[in-house]
Amino acid sequence: DKGMTRLIWCPLARSGRYEIPQTVTIIDHDAFVFHMKLTSVTIPDPITKICGLAFSYCFERETVIIPDSVSFIGHHAFFDCRQLKVIDIPDTVFTIRSYAFSRCTELKSIVILNSVTFIADHLFTDCIQLASVTIPNSVTSIGGYAFYGCTQLPSITIPDSVAFIGKRAFAVCKSLTSITIPPSVISIDE
């Protein structure tokens, strides 16, 4: 936008590294969608919101470091970022919408921090290399299909704070041999 507070679109011709201007506070919907030539995007501290589909289908990016200023990650924000191996989510993020990290097929581990209370539907669907997940005591609900198809996930411990587990949340987790469900869980959708 004219005030340079909202990054609406990054031209597809850009390649290599890209630094978002320090004036930007919102990365808009589709801002970097299909940017397959970008290897690195620096997300500065003023950013508070990463909207839906912001970085979807960015195949070359391996690491994403989200600054402490971010509180919201939209639906499909990093969907199908197939080379993404590391994602650092600060404890300032309160909302992560559905499909945000689905089909990040190289993502191996994720730590969900205490600021998140709900693991959205399809959040990590088909993250086939995901082998380690830490769910904090702040989470009260795990959405449907949240970990569907995480075929390398060997075990998961659900904290005592969780009351609801959505439909097929751990379906097609072929390596899952241990799941600890606490007595606090009062509903598991079929």
Side-chain angles (χ1 to χ4, degrees):
D1 69 345
K2 289 182 181 181
M4 291 186 60
T5 60
R6 188 176 199 115
L7 180 64
I8 297 169
W9 178 251
C10 178
L12 283 173
R14 290 226 183 230
S15 63
R17 298 180 54 89
Y18 179 76
E19 290 194 24
I20 297 172
Q22 290 286 331
T23 57
V24 173
T25 59
I26 296 172
I27 300 172
D28 219 338
H29 296 272
D30 303 324
F32 291 94
V33 71
F34 291 113
H35 279 73
M36 293 179 237
K37 295 178 184 176
L38 288 176
T39 55
S40 174
V41 174
T42 301
I43 303 172
D45 278 337
I47 301 291
T48 59
K49 186 174 184 181
I50 299 172
C51 294
L53 295 158
F55 293 97
S56 290
Y57 306 103
C58 294
F59 298 126
E60 298 303 314
R61 194 164 299 106
E62 292 185 8
T63 302
V64 172
I65 298 171
I66 298 171
D68 289 342
S69 56
V70 174
S71 62
F72 177 90
I73 299 173
H75 68 88
H76 294 84
F78 296 92
F79 179 80
D80 207 21
C81 290
R82 295 184 185 176
Q83 296 303 315
L84 186 61
K85 294 177 182 174
V86 177
I87 182 97
D88 184 11
I89 303 171
D91 60 5
T92 55
V93 174
F94 291 98
T95 304
I96 305 174
R97 293 284 168 92
S98 60
Y99 292 95
F101 301 105
S102 287
R103 292 177 50 183
C104 292
T105 55
E106 291 298 316
L107 188 63
K108 294 183 185 337
S109 70
I110 189 81
V111 175
I112 302 165
L113 298 170
N114 284 322
S115 54
V116 175
T117 59
F118 174 68
I119 295 176
D121 295 346
H122 297 275
L123 189 58
F124 299 105
T125 296
D126 293 328
C127 290
I128 59 173
Q129 295 297 321
L130 191 63
S132 174
V133 174
T134 302
I135 300 174
N137 287 326
S138 60
V139 172
T140 59
S141 183
I142 297 172
Y145 299 87
F147 297 95
Y148 181 94
C150 294
T151 56
Q152 298 300 313
L153 192 61
S155 65
I156 193 148
T157 300
I158 298 169
D160 290 335
S161 57
V162 174
F164 303 98
I165 298 175
K167 182 178 183 178
R168 301 187 62 136
F170 300 99
V172 195
C173 292
K174 296 176 183 179
S175 298
L176 191 61
T177 58
S178 172
I179 185 165
T180 303
I181 300 174
S184 62
V185 174
I186 57 173
S187 175
I188 300 175
D189 282 351
E190 295 181 27

